[in-house]
């Protein structure tokens, strides 16, 4: 995952990429103390343009300041880790079909291959339909250097096929879980961000 430098003064495309990266990292593993330290000193105005994100961003930063590192890390373990069935699944296939490793994952792999992308087994053990992997792909499509791949058309297509289809249901499941505090706030920020992105892509259609 990518190191993040949070700022409300970034240009819009950089800010979008930063937010995709932040959400990706926070869902992937228990948060690094360095990342939580950055979050606690972040400005509480919206990290991207548009006031719609401002309140969920403020709530997330507020909870980062209220909770200590261990509490946030323990919450991640309680929700997404452990042996057997997790409290909340983080995979698209589960929300789209009710099962893991199903057709949505196969289609995602096909689409990733068309973009020249794939999972590095040495750095990520999760399947490609993990929320963090999907958001990291979006970050790459926003911020990558190859304009043949990293462009608005590819962003819109990937978002419609592999983000918009299931992220709201994932956020619903997370926010319905009583043990979620920090991650319920992260779910609300994710929901708001996905909504803003969907509106932006709709304007391009």
């Amino acid at each position: 995952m990518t190191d993040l430098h949070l700022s409300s003064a970034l240009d819009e495309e950089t800010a979008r990429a930063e937010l995709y990266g932040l959400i990706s990292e926070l869902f992937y593993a228990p948060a690094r103390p360095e990342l939580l330290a950055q979050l606690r000193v972040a400005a509480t105005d919206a990290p991207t343009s548009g006031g719609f994100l401002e309140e969920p961003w403020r709530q997330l930063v507020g909870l980062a300041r209220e909770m200590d590192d261990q509490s946030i890390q323990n919450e991640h373990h309680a929700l997404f880790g452990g042996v057997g069935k997790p409290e909340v699944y983080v995979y698209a296939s589960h929300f789209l079909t009710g099962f893991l490793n199903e057709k949505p994952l196969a289609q995602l792999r096909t689409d990733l291959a068309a973009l020249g992308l794939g999972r590095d087994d040495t750095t990520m053990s999760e399947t490609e339909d993990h929320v963090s992997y999907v958001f990291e792909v979006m970050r790459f499509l926003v911020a990558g250097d190859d304009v043949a791949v990293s462009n608005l058309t590819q962003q819109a297509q990937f978002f419609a096929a592999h983000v918009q289809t299931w992220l709201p249901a994932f956020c619903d499941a997370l926010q319905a879980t009583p043990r979620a505090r920090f991650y319920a706030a992260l779910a609300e920020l994710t929901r708001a961000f996905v909504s803003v992105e969907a509106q932006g892509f709709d304007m391009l259609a």
Side-chain angles (χ1 to χ4, degrees), residues 103-170:
K103 288 182 179 180
L105 176 57
Q107 184 59 55
L108 173 58
R109 286 172 171 165
T110 298
D111 293 347
L112 289 171
L115 292 169
L117 301 175
R119 177 169 62 96
D120 184 349
D121 293 341
T122 64
T123 59
M124 183 172 182
S125 60
E126 308 289 350
T127 54
E128 293 90 334
D129 61 338
H130 189 291
V131 59
S132 295
Y133 192 97
V134 172
F135 268 53
E136 191 67 10
V137 172
M138 283 300 301
R139 186 197 64 78
F140 174 79
L141 295 178
V142 173
D145 294 329
D146 184 355
V147 295
V149 175
S150 298
N151 58 61
L152 280 172
T153 298
Q154 298 286 11
Q155 292 169 38
Q157 291 175 350
F158 189 88
F159 181 89
H162 302 296
V163 178
Q164 197 171 8
T165 49
W166 70 283
L167 256 296
F170 167 69

Side-chain angles (χ1 to χ4, degrees), residues 23 27 80 88-91 95 130-131 135 166-177 183 186-187 190-191:
I23 293 170
F27 276 128
F80 311 119
V88 180
Y89 283 100
V90 290
Y91 302 99
F95 287 96
H130 189 291
V131 59
F135 268 53
W166 70 283
L167 256 296
F170 167 69
C171 293
D172 287 344
L174 190 46
Q175 291 183 301
T177 304
Y183 285 93
L186 180 60
T190 302
R191 184 197 305 281

Side-chain angles (χ1 to χ4, degrees), residues 43-46 53-63 189:
T44 53
D45 54 353
L53 294 179
E54 191 163 343
E55 184 56 31
W57 176 253
R58 183 181 293 114
Q59 291 293 326
L60 183 68
V61 172
L63 276 167
L189 176 64

Side-chain angles (χ1 to χ4, degrees), residues 87-104:
E87 189 87 11
V88 180
Y89 283 100
V90 290
Y91 302 99
S93 289
H94 169 77
F95 287 96
L96 294 173
T97 71
F99 301 95
L100 301 178
N101 301 317
E102 287 291 322
K103 288 182 179 180

Side-chain angles (χ1 to χ4, degrees), residues 6 8 10 15 19 24 28-29 35 51 55-56 79 82 89 115 118 128 130 136 141 144 161 168 174 181-182 190 204:
L6 305 178
S8 60
L10 298 171
L19 194 47
S24 174
Y28 184 65
L35 178 59
E55 184 56 31
L79 294 170
Y89 283 100
L115 292 169
E128 293 90 334
H130 189 291
E136 191 67 10
L141 295 178
L174 190 46
R181 289 189 65 215
F182 179 84
T190 302
L204 298 174

